[in-house]
Amino acid sequence: MTGEDIIKYYGNGRFASYCGISLSEDVHDGSISAKAEILPQYMNGSGHVHGGFIYTLADVTGGANCRRFCDRVTTLDSDFHFLSNYATRFLYGEAAVVRIGGKVIVLRVTIKGDTGEPFAEGIFTYYKV
């Protein structure tokens, strides 16, 4: 899929769109980054961004990047670590390829806030369907 196809796919009423996650393509390397504005409904009871929302942003970021190499993928596994939770208006997701194999794609996904400090990071494994 092209970057434009991936962005259109995730914008067509998919869960990512429902969560307010937008995608953009880096014109230099073709990678897909994600961005989400932090809204009150994404907060947990202690006033921090809910971990499930942060994980969703990471999984969308990884899945979108996998689609650069394979049209259909599903999340197989992840090892995800929450590193910080500070006040920020936006969260940003980026992914780097670790390995592309015959049936799996492994990515390192990082979620950052407005300051650039990491919120969370993980290794995601996707299965080529």
Side-chain angles (χ1 to χ4, degrees):
M1 288 183 141
T2 67
E4 184 178 318
D5 292 336
I6 294 166
I7 292 166
K8 186 176 181 180
Y9 173 85
Y10 280 92
N12 284 338
R14 305 282 183 195
F15 186 65
S17 176
Y18 176 79
C19 292
I21 298 170
S22 62
L23 301 175
S24 60
E25 181 181 18
D26 184 309
V27 296
H28 299 293
D29 66 6
S31 66
I32 305 293
S33 60
K35 178 180 178 181
E37 183 174 12
I38 302 306
L39 302 174
Q41 60 264 34
Y42 304 149
M43 306 303 274
N44 62 22
S46 64
H48 296 96
V49 181
H50 193 284
F53 182 76
I54 298 168
Y55 183 89
T56 296
L57 181 61
D59 192 33
V60 168
T61 302
N65 276 278
C66 283
R67 289 181 187 283
R68 295 166 46 211
F69 310 105
C70 177
D71 286 347
R72 296 183 61 212
V73 296
T74 189
T75 307
L76 186 61
D77 186 35
S78 68
D79 182 23
F80 196 63
H81 302 273
F82 298 95
L83 305 173
S84 183
N85 204 325
Y86 56 89
T88 187
R89 181 167 178 206
F90 293 95
L91 286 178
Y92 307 89
E94 54 190 41
V97 173
V98 174
R99 182 177 190 281
I100 300 174
K103 280 297 196 179
V104 299
I105 300 172
V106 180
L107 301 172
R108 177 180 304 281
V109 179
T110 304
I111 303 300
K112 297 179 181 179
D114 291 331
T115 67
E117 179 184 342
F119 253 67
E121 183 174 85
I123 299 293
F124 283 73
T125 304
Y126 296 88
Y127 181 76
K128 298 176 185 179
V129 179

